[in-house]
Amino acid sequence: MPDDHAVVRLRSLVGTDAGILLPNAIGTIVYRHADGNSYEVEFTDPVAQVITLHAEDVSPAE
């Protein structure tokens, strides 16, 4: 389970109000919810945005 400030990689395509994030997009966890199964992740490319993702949506970016 990644902690806050961990760099993660998106596992699949995600559509948001600001645009589409492609698989393998790199983001940073800015907040881990108390349930431990969801995160607020900040992405900067292609558009700067923070979105809520479930643990299965991301993997560590190594």
Side-chain angles (χ1 to χ4, degrees), residues 8-29 39-54 57-58:
V8 294
R9 181 179 307 275
L10 191 59
R11 290 184 174 189
S12 60
L13 181 97
V14 174
T16 71
D17 292 340
I20 295 174
L21 293 171
L22 299 175
N24 296 316
I26 301 293
T28 303
I29 295 175
Y39 309 99
E40 300 296 320
V41 181
E42 180 180 29
F43 293 90
T44 58
D45 187 28
V47 177
Q49 57 188 316
V50 176
I51 61 173
T52 302
L53 295 170
H54 295 285
D57 296 330
V58 296

